[in-house]
Amino acid sequence: MKNVQLYDKSFKPYMSYEEIQKAIDTVAEKINNDLKDEHTPIFLGVLTGSFMFFGDLLKRINLECETCFIRLASYEGTSSTGQVKQLLGLTQSVKDRNIVVVEDIVDTGGTINELYKLLKENGARSIRIATLMFKPGSYKGTIKIDYPACSIPNDFIVGFGLDYDQIGRNLKDIYVLDVEETERRKGINIR
Ligand code: IMP
Ligand code: MG
């Protein structure tokens, strides 16, 4: 696989579509098993980044369940602003319901922390967290991340729903920022 160029940055291949699918198989199996005796859970996708993971995960869920989405944002460019904005709130009652949050990536934990509080305030009975990617080295939260499909270092990644300034979400594999190649390209002024 080749590098991809997104605006001013070059990204190198990190995880293939096939590897991602295998990781999703594993978390789906755990969730199916852990929730088999729970009453109709709600899978709550955090938009926009989780859309691909959400679809692939839900195809493997064999429980009676509901689905719902919320839209939050905390990132600008390649770093967290620390402020979590609610762009689309809860559209469905979570009172006394078992919730499985489906995230693209848990980085500092700011987003998940805000969402957890919101779900608690709205009376959720249980809250579990599934995430495609988890950065344990940068996580500052205390909430347990129940289902991380993959744990990764603190590098910036794109693809499979994850973006760099809103582009790159459509890539079917995951790529990581290639600092050297980005610098080299800047030097010779190509994009
Ligand atoms: P947190 O609030 O710091 O945990 O950040 C969570 C959000 O930041 C994620 O849902 C993503 O939208 C975004 N994010 C964090 N790390 C990355 C990354 O490596 N690539 C793309 N987006 C990221
Ligand atoms: Mg997100």
Side-chain angles (χ1 to χ4, degrees), residues 107-167:
D107 182 18
T108 64
T111 310
I112 222 67
N113 194 50
E114 285 303 309
L115 183 53
Y116 199 92
K117 273 200 293 193
L118 180 77
L119 293 171
K120 276 262 159 231
E121 281 163 16
N122 283 276
R125 181 194 298 171
S126 70
I127 305 165
R128 292 180 174 86
I129 316 288
T131 186
L132 178 65
M133 293 287 166
F134 180 39
K135 294 184 186 170
S138 118
Y139 187 59
K140 298 189 191 76
T142 50
I143 297 158
K144 184 171 170 245
I145 306 303
D146 306 89
Y147 307 108
C150 315
S151 290
I152 57 164
N154 283 354
D155 306 318
F156 189 77
I157 56 168
V158 292
F160 207 82
L162 290 148
D163 70 304
Y164 166 50
D165 264 347
Q166 300 306 329
I167 62 169

Side-chain angles (χ1 to χ4, degrees), residues 46-49 72 103-105 111:
V46 185
L47 292 173
T48 304
L72 304 168
E103 257 287 18
D104 53 353
I105 185 161
T111 310

Side-chain angles (χ1 to χ4, degrees), residues 78 88 168:
T78 56
L88 164 75

Side-chain angles (χ1 to χ4, degrees), residues 57-119:
L57 178 67
L58 268 285
K59 279 178 261 178
R60 292 162 167 88
I61 296 300
N62 57 25
L63 311 160
E64 179 185 279
C65 63
E66 291 178 25
T67 57
C68 172
F69 292 94
I70 188 166
R71 182 146 184 232
L72 304 168
S74 71
Y75 251 58
E76 264 166 36
T78 56
S79 62
S80 183
T81 59
Q83 304 240 317
V84 179
K85 283 184 275 187
Q86 218 187 109
L87 304 174
L88 164 75
L90 281 174
T91 53
Q92 182 175 340
S93 169
V94 294
K95 193 163 166 30
D96 297 328
R97 302 298 302 269
N98 300 308
I99 311 295
V100 182
V101 172
V102 181
E103 257 287 18
D104 53 353
I105 185 161
V106 176
D107 182 18
T108 64
T111 310
I112 222 67
N113 194 50
E114 285 303 309
L115 183 53
Y116 199 92
K117 273 200 293 193
L118 180 77
L119 293 171

Side-chain angles (χ1 to χ4, degrees), residues 32-64:
N32 281 330
N33 198 46
D34 289 358
L35 278 81
K36 61 179 184 297
D37 298 322
E38 295 210 354
H39 178 71
T40 317
I42 302 178
F43 285 80
L44 177 63
V46 185
L47 292 173
T48 304
S50 74
F51 75 99
M52 283 206 193
F53 176 44
F54 193 91
D56 282 347
L57 178 67
L58 268 285
K59 279 178 261 178
R60 292 162 167 88
I61 296 300
N62 57 25
L63 311 160
E64 179 185 279

